[in-house]
Amino acid sequence: MLTRYANPERFMRLSRWALPVTAVTAVALFAIGLPWGLFFAPPDYQQGETVRIMFVHVPSSSLALGVFTFMGAASLMGLVWGHTLAHVAARAAAPVGAVYAGLSLLTGSLWGAPTWGTWWEWDARLTSMLVLFLTYLGYLALHAAIPERDRAARLAAVLCLAGLINVPIVKFSVDWWSTLHQPASLLREGGASIHPDLLWPLLINALAFLFAFIALTLAGMRAEIFQRRVEAASMRQARAAA
Amino acid sequence: MNADLADPNWAYVWPAYGLAAIAMISLVAWTMRRQSLWAARAKRLEEDR
């Protein structure tokens, strides 16, 4: 089935309608989730009003990990089966993941200042998330530094697969080490430990971030495919002229 | 509405949402601009052929 969708022509036909559908869904979910979290969800009994930062921080953090895992799977497919579209997908997802990881660090810092009394701590969760953010930047820098697209894609895929080792470290750092960051409260054994009044807006915002990622990745992939077509045509023209 | 806008902790909440809005809007604008730019170039090439 994956091979069927690895065809760029088929992808362009599919993404033509999937892109507006996912983009509109993301906007609708943000329009519900953000005001709900910002104004209508109750304040937390311990964190007070600062709990509202969680509606941006938790989805961006989870998706930063999810996007990197997606990039790892795409990179593996690109390396093993040589599907160009898989490399294109990984490359298109990277800026979205980088922004999510950056947002996670910044909003986490804004939450930490009033809650922990510090903007930053070299804590296992915070440090491993910073490493993930830097890996995203390294991946993008590697793509930008190598002009030959296929070589850049292969090398970046290797970097991505090596960077995957950090994903479980970020996720389980709060269980493996004694950290300032609290343990998981959403994806944990025994179910979520958050009151439904806070859980629902959180889930809606998480879905909004997810659909935004899908829409932005589809748009990025379309841009990359158009760019490859233009470059291939320009090379053909140059060769014909010579 | 359940929010107490007079609470001093809003000094941390507003920047978090502001940063998120700026980051997401910039990302959307950059991606869409890139896509429309290359789509237009590809279309022009197709027409030239």
mmCIF file of all heavy atoms in Angstrom, chain A residues 137-172:
data_model
loop_
_atom_site.group_PDB
_atom_site.id
_atom_site.type_symbol
_atom_site.label_atom_id
_atom_site.label_comp_id
_atom_site.label_asym_id
_atom_site.label_seq_id
_atom_site.Cartn_x
_atom_site.Cartn_y
_atom_site.Cartn_z
ATOM 1 N N LEU A 137 17.447 21.192 14.092
ATOM 2 C CA LEU A 137 18.215 22.251 13.415
ATOM 3 C C LEU A 137 19.365 21.640 12.618
ATOM 4 O O LEU A 137 19.645 22.065 11.486
ATOM 5 C CB LEU A 137 18.753 23.274 14.426
ATOM 6 C CG LEU A 137 17.706 24.081 15.206
ATOM 7 C CD1 LEU A 137 18.392 25.161 16.031
ATOM 8 C CD2 LEU A 137 16.678 24.722 14.284
ATOM 9 N N GLY A 138 20.021 20.627 13.189
ATOM 10 C CA GLY A 138 21.121 19.949 12.494
ATOM 11 C C GLY A 138 20.634 19.279 11.219
ATOM 12 O O GLY A 138 21.297 19.354 10.177
ATOM 13 N N TYR A 139 19.465 18.650 11.297
ATOM 14 C CA TYR A 139 18.876 17.974 10.137
ATOM 15 C C TYR A 139 18.616 18.999 9.010
ATOM 16 O O TYR A 139 18.980 18.770 7.857
ATOM 17 C CB TYR A 139 17.563 17.307 10.573
ATOM 18 C CG TYR A 139 16.816 16.609 9.464
ATOM 19 C CD1 TYR A 139 17.034 15.259 9.202
ATOM 20 C CD2 TYR A 139 15.894 17.294 8.683
ATOM 21 C CE1 TYR A 139 16.352 14.620 8.185
ATOM 22 C CE2 TYR A 139 15.213 16.663 7.662
ATOM 23 C CZ TYR A 139 15.435 15.320 7.421
ATOM 24 O OH TYR A 139 14.760 14.695 6.404
ATOM 25 N N LEU A 140 18.026 20.140 9.396
ATOM 26 C CA LEU A 140 17.722 21.175 8.391
ATOM 27 C C LEU A 140 19.005 21.785 7.835
ATOM 28 O O LEU A 140 19.105 22.043 6.630
ATOM 29 C CB LEU A 140 16.836 22.267 9.020
ATOM 30 C CG LEU A 140 15.397 21.840 9.303
ATOM 31 C CD1 LEU A 140 14.691 22.854 10.192
ATOM 32 C CD2 LEU A 140 14.610 21.657 8.000
ATOM 33 N N ALA A 141 19.996 21.981 8.710
ATOM 34 C CA ALA A 141 21.274 22.559 8.276
ATOM 35 C C ALA A 141 21.986 21.621 7.303
ATOM 36 O O ALA A 141 22.568 22.062 6.312
ATOM 37 C CB ALA A 141 22.161 22.841 9.489
ATOM 38 N N LEU A 142 21.915 20.321 7.578
ATOM 39 C CA LEU A 142 22.562 19.334 6.704
ATOM 40 C C LEU A 142 21.928 19.361 5.310
ATOM 41 O O LEU A 142 22.626 19.344 4.295
ATOM 42 C CB LEU A 142 22.420 17.931 7.328
ATOM 43 C CG LEU A 142 23.255 16.814 6.710
ATOM 44 C CD1 LEU A 142 24.733 17.143 6.761
ATOM 45 C CD2 LEU A 142 23.010 15.500 7.439
ATOM 46 N N HIS A 143 20.600 19.433 5.268
ATOM 47 C CA HIS A 143 19.903 19.535 3.979
ATOM 48 C C HIS A 143 20.326 20.797 3.227
ATOM 49 O O HIS A 143 20.533 20.763 2.010
ATOM 50 C CB HIS A 143 18.383 19.574 4.198
ATOM 51 C CG HIS A 143 17.726 18.265 3.932
ATOM 52 N ND1 HIS A 143 17.561 17.757 2.663
ATOM 53 C CD2 HIS A 143 17.198 17.345 4.758
ATOM 54 C CE1 HIS A 143 16.960 16.593 2.737
ATOM 55 N NE2 HIS A 143 16.728 16.300 3.987
ATOM 56 N N ALA A 144 20.453 21.900 3.980
ATOM 57 C CA ALA A 144 20.782 23.182 3.342
ATOM 58 C C ALA A 144 22.233 23.215 2.877
ATOM 59 O O ALA A 144 22.564 23.908 1.908
ATOM 60 C CB ALA A 144 20.517 24.324 4.323
ATOM 61 N N ALA A 145 23.104 22.440 3.549
ATOM 62 C CA ALA A 145 24.541 22.523 3.254
ATOM 63 C C ALA A 145 24.961 21.707 2.031
ATOM 64 O O ALA A 145 25.995 21.979 1.439
ATOM 65 C CB ALA A 145 25.328 22.061 4.476
ATOM 66 N N ILE A 146 24.147 20.688 1.666
ATOM 67 C CA ILE A 146 24.554 19.807 0.558
ATOM 68 C C ILE A 146 23.670 20.081 -0.658
ATOM 69 O O ILE A 146 22.453 19.873 -0.608
ATOM 70 C CB ILE A 146 24.461 18.319 0.990
ATOM 71 C CG1 ILE A 146 25.355 18.084 2.209
ATOM 72 C CG2 ILE A 146 24.851 17.380 -0.154
ATOM 73 C CD1 ILE A 146 25.179 16.753 2.873
ATOM 74 N N PRO A 147 24.271 20.555 -1.754
ATOM 75 C CA PRO A 147 23.446 20.927 -2.908
ATOM 76 C C PRO A 147 22.789 19.737 -3.625
ATOM 77 O O PRO A 147 21.675 19.879 -4.133
ATOM 78 C CB PRO A 147 24.403 21.660 -3.846
ATOM 79 C CG PRO A 147 25.736 21.628 -3.217
ATOM 80 C CD PRO A 147 25.684 20.841 -1.963
ATOM 81 N N GLU A 148 23.478 18.562 -3.664
ATOM 82 C CA GLU A 148 22.863 17.411 -4.359
ATOM 83 C C GLU A 148 21.751 16.842 -3.476
ATOM 84 O O GLU A 148 22.012 16.326 -2.403
ATOM 85 C CB GLU A 148 23.870 16.293 -4.645
ATOM 86 C CG GLU A 148 25.112 16.729 -5.396
ATOM 87 C CD GLU A 148 26.263 16.947 -4.439
ATOM 88 O OE1 GLU A 148 26.377 18.063 -3.890
ATOM 89 O OE2 GLU A 148 27.043 16.018 -4.231
ATOM 90 N N ARG A 149 20.524 16.931 -3.993
ATOM 91 C CA ARG A 149 19.339 16.585 -3.189
ATOM 92 C C ARG A 149 19.358 15.154 -2.658
ATOM 93 O O ARG A 149 19.056 14.927 -1.489
ATOM 94 C CB ARG A 149 18.082 16.746 -4.035
ATOM 95 C CG ARG A 149 17.709 18.143 -4.197
ATOM 96 C CD ARG A 149 16.437 18.308 -4.973
ATOM 97 N NE ARG A 149 16.175 19.721 -5.042
ATOM 98 C CZ ARG A 149 15.620 20.408 -4.073
ATOM 99 N NH1 ARG A 149 15.209 19.806 -2.998
ATOM 100 N NH2 ARG A 149 15.444 21.711 -4.188
ATOM 101 N N ASP A 150 19.693 14.189 -3.526
ATOM 102 C CA ASP A 150 19.606 12.784 -3.104
ATOM 103 C C ASP A 150 20.644 12.457 -2.037
ATOM 104 O O ASP A 150 20.353 11.736 -1.091
ATOM 105 C CB ASP A 150 19.754 11.854 -4.324
ATOM 106 C CG ASP A 150 18.546 11.981 -5.241
ATOM 107 O OD1 ASP A 150 17.472 12.367 -4.741
ATOM 108 O OD2 ASP A 150 18.676 11.720 -6.456
ATOM 109 N N ARG A 151 21.851 13.020 -2.215
ATOM 110 C CA ARG A 151 22.907 12.788 -1.228
ATOM 111 C C ARG A 151 22.525 13.440 0.107
ATOM 112 O O ARG A 151 22.683 12.840 1.170
ATOM 113 C CB ARG A 151 24.231 13.356 -1.761
ATOM 114 C CG ARG A 151 25.408 12.920 -0.961
ATOM 115 C CD ARG A 151 26.722 13.092 -1.701
ATOM 116 N NE ARG A 151 27.780 13.154 -0.718
ATOM 117 C CZ ARG A 151 28.404 14.275 -0.353
ATOM 118 N NH1 ARG A 151 28.096 15.413 -0.913
ATOM 119 N NH2 ARG A 151 29.350 14.253 0.555
ATOM 120 N N ALA A 152 22.008 14.663 0.023
ATOM 121 C CA ALA A 152 21.575 15.374 1.242
ATOM 122 C C ALA A 152 20.491 14.570 1.953
ATOM 123 O O ALA A 152 20.527 14.424 3.184
ATOM 124 C CB ALA A 152 21.048 16.755 0.869
ATOM 125 N N ALA A 153 19.547 14.032 1.165
ATOM 126 C CA ALA A 153 18.436 13.278 1.760
ATOM 127 C C ALA A 153 18.950 12.026 2.465
ATOM 128 O O ALA A 153 18.494 11.702 3.571
ATOM 129 C CB ALA A 153 17.427 12.911 0.670
ATOM 130 N N ARG A 154 19.909 11.332 1.832
ATOM 131 C CA ARG A 154 20.442 10.091 2.430
ATOM 132 C C ARG A 154 21.202 10.386 3.724
ATOM 133 O O ARG A 154 21.005 9.717 4.735
ATOM 134 C CB ARG A 154 21.346 9.360 1.436
ATOM 135 C CG ARG A 154 20.592 8.532 0.399
ATOM 136 C CD ARG A 154 21.504 7.517 -0.271
ATOM 137 N NE ARG A 154 22.670 8.133 -0.883
ATOM 138 C CZ ARG A 154 22.685 8.665 -2.110
ATOM 139 N NH1 ARG A 154 21.594 8.636 -2.850
ATOM 140 N NH2 ARG A 154 23.782 9.200 -2.604
ATOM 141 N N LEU A 155 22.061 11.424 3.689
ATOM 142 C CA LEU A 155 22.839 11.761 4.888
ATOM 143 C C LEU A 155 21.934 12.257 6.016
ATOM 144 O O LEU A 155 22.112 11.891 7.179
ATOM 145 C CB LEU A 155 23.895 12.824 4.549
ATOM 146 C CG LEU A 155 25.079 12.310 3.733
ATOM 147 C CD1 LEU A 155 25.983 13.468 3.322
ATOM 148 C CD2 LEU A 155 25.904 11.296 4.529
ATOM 149 N N ALA A 156 20.941 13.082 5.643
ATOM 150 C CA ALA A 156 20.006 13.595 6.658
ATOM 151 C C ALA A 156 19.187 12.449 7.246
ATOM 152 O O ALA A 156 18.855 12.461 8.432
ATOM 153 C CB ALA A 156 19.100 14.653 6.043
ATOM 154 N N ALA A 157 18.870 11.444 6.409
ATOM 155 C CA ALA A 157 18.105 10.280 6.893
ATOM 156 C C ALA A 157 18.921 9.508 7.931
ATOM 157 O O ALA A 157 18.377 9.061 8.947
ATOM 158 C CB ALA A 157 17.731 9.377 5.716
ATOM 159 N N VAL A 158 20.230 9.391 7.688
ATOM 160 C CA VAL A 158 21.099 8.687 8.650
ATOM 161 C C VAL A 158 21.138 9.474 9.967
ATOM 162 O O VAL A 158 21.004 8.898 11.057
ATOM 163 C CB VAL A 158 22.521 8.500 8.065
ATOM 164 C CG1 VAL A 158 23.473 7.947 9.114
ATOM 165 C CG2 VAL A 158 22.484 7.574 6.846
ATOM 166 N N LEU A 159 21.272 10.807 9.857
ATOM 167 C CA LEU A 159 21.274 11.655 11.055
ATOM 168 C C LEU A 159 19.949 11.497 11.819
ATOM 169 O O LEU A 159 19.926 11.385 13.045
ATOM 170 C CB LEU A 159 21.479 13.122 10.661
ATOM 171 C CG LEU A 159 21.344 14.136 11.799
ATOM 172 C CD1 LEU A 159 22.506 14.026 12.770
ATOM 173 C CD2 LEU A 159 21.250 15.560 11.283
ATOM 174 N N CYS A 160 18.857 11.461 11.073
ATOM 175 C CA CYS A 160 17.531 11.332 11.685
ATOM 176 C C CYS A 160 17.407 9.998 12.429
ATOM 177 O O CYS A 160 16.916 9.961 13.561
ATOM 178 C CB CYS A 160 16.468 11.444 10.594
ATOM 179 S SG CYS A 160 14.810 11.447 11.243
ATOM 180 N N LEU A 161 17.883 8.924 11.797
ATOM 181 C CA LEU A 161 17.797 7.601 12.444
ATOM 182 C C LEU A 161 18.672 7.555 13.705
ATOM 183 O O LEU A 161 18.272 6.979 14.716
ATOM 184 C CB LEU A 161 18.203 6.500 11.465
ATOM 185 C CG LEU A 161 17.176 6.243 10.357
ATOM 186 C CD1 LEU A 161 17.719 5.256 9.341
ATOM 187 C CD2 LEU A 161 15.868 5.727 10.924
ATOM 188 N N ALA A 162 19.847 8.208 13.633
ATOM 189 C CA ALA A 162 20.712 8.253 14.823
ATOM 190 C C ALA A 162 20.035 9.081 15.923
ATOM 191 O O ALA A 162 20.079 8.732 17.103
ATOM 192 C CB ALA A 162 22.063 8.857 14.458
ATOM 193 N N GLY A 163 19.360 10.173 15.510
ATOM 194 C CA GLY A 163 18.688 11.050 16.473
ATOM 195 C C GLY A 163 17.471 10.418 17.121
ATOM 196 O O GLY A 163 17.026 10.862 18.183
ATOM 197 N N LEU A 164 16.949 9.367 16.482
ATOM 198 C CA LEU A 164 15.754 8.693 17.021
ATOM 199 C C LEU A 164 15.981 8.157 18.429
ATOM 200 O O LEU A 164 15.019 8.016 19.189
ATOM 201 C CB LEU A 164 15.366 7.527 16.108
ATOM 202 C CG LEU A 164 14.241 7.735 15.097
ATOM 203 C CD1 LEU A 164 13.898 6.425 14.445
ATOM 204 C CD2 LEU A 164 13.007 8.363 15.707
ATOM 205 N N ILE A 165 17.231 7.845 18.737
ATOM 206 C CA ILE A 165 17.544 7.284 20.066
ATOM 207 C C ILE A 165 17.117 8.256 21.179
ATOM 208 O O ILE A 165 16.802 7.847 22.302
ATOM 209 C CB ILE A 165 19.044 6.914 20.174
ATOM 210 C CG1 ILE A 165 19.268 6.012 21.387
ATOM 211 C CG2 ILE A 165 19.942 8.131 20.273
ATOM 212 C CD1 ILE A 165 20.481 5.169 21.316
ATOM 213 N N ASN A 166 17.071 9.546 20.839
ATOM 214 C CA ASN A 166 16.716 10.555 21.844
ATOM 215 C C ASN A 166 15.207 10.580 22.146
ATOM 216 O O ASN A 166 14.805 11.080 23.192
ATOM 217 C CB ASN A 166 17.188 11.933 21.355
ATOM 218 C CG ASN A 166 17.067 12.997 22.415
ATOM 219 O OD1 ASN A 166 17.289 12.730 23.597
ATOM 220 N ND2 ASN A 166 16.685 14.196 22.027
ATOM 221 N N VAL A 167 14.383 10.055 21.229
ATOM 222 C CA VAL A 167 12.920 10.124 21.420
ATOM 223 C C VAL A 167 12.466 9.381 22.691
ATOM 224 O O VAL A 167 11.803 9.989 23.546
ATOM 225 C CB VAL A 167 12.164 9.659 20.152
ATOM 226 C CG1 VAL A 167 10.673 9.537 20.422
ATOM 227 C CG2 VAL A 167 12.412 10.635 19.012
ATOM 228 N N PRO A 168 12.852 8.098 22.873
ATOM 229 C CA PRO A 168 12.466 7.456 24.145
ATOM 230 C C PRO A 168 13.141 8.088 25.361
ATOM 231 O O PRO A 168 12.574 8.060 26.453
ATOM 232 C CB PRO A 168 12.913 5.993 23.962
ATOM 233 C CG PRO A 168 13.841 5.981 22.810
ATOM 234 C CD PRO A 168 13.485 7.145 21.947
ATOM 235 N N ILE A 169 14.326 8.687 25.144
ATOM 236 C CA ILE A 169 14.992 9.348 26.282
ATOM 237 C C ILE A 169 14.142 10.537 26.754
ATOM 238 O O ILE A 169 13.914 10.718 27.950
ATOM 239 C CB ILE A 169 16.432 9.782 25.911
ATOM 240 C CG1 ILE A 169 17.306 8.547 25.655
ATOM 241 C CG2 ILE A 169 17.046 10.642 27.018
ATOM 242 C CD1 ILE A 169 18.716 8.834 25.189
ATOM 243 N N VAL A 170 13.643 11.340 25.777
ATOM 244 C CA VAL A 170 12.788 12.483 26.154
ATOM 245 C C VAL A 170 11.532 11.971 26.856
ATOM 246 O O VAL A 170 11.164 12.432 27.933
ATOM 247 C CB VAL A 170 12.380 13.319 24.911
ATOM 248 C CG1 VAL A 170 11.463 14.460 25.324
ATOM 249 C CG2 VAL A 170 13.595 13.863 24.176
ATOM 250 N N LYS A 171 10.887 10.969 26.238
ATOM 251 C CA LYS A 171 9.605 10.471 26.748
ATOM 252 C C LYS A 171 9.737 9.891 28.166
ATOM 253 O O LYS A 171 8.927 10.195 29.038
ATOM 254 C CB LYS A 171 9.075 9.420 25.760
ATOM 255 C CG LYS A 171 7.894 8.614 26.225
ATOM 256 C CD LYS A 171 6.600 9.406 26.226
ATOM 257 C CE LYS A 171 5.449 8.599 26.821
ATOM 258 N NZ LYS A 171 4.669 9.341 27.783
ATOM 259 N N PHE A 172 10.764 9.049 28.374
ATOM 260 C CA PHE A 172 10.866 8.347 29.662
ATOM 261 C C PHE A 172 11.845 8.988 30.654
ATOM 262 O O PHE A 172 12.065 8.433 31.725
ATOM 263 C CB PHE A 172 11.249 6.873 29.422
ATOM 264 C CG PHE A 172 10.198 6.136 28.628
ATOM 265 C CD1 PHE A 172 10.437 5.740 27.324
ATOM 266 C CD2 PHE A 172 8.951 5.857 29.188
ATOM 267 C CE1 PHE A 172 9.457 5.082 26.586
ATOM 268 C CE2 PHE A 172 7.970 5.198 28.455
ATOM 269 C CZ PHE A 172 8.217 4.811 27.148
#
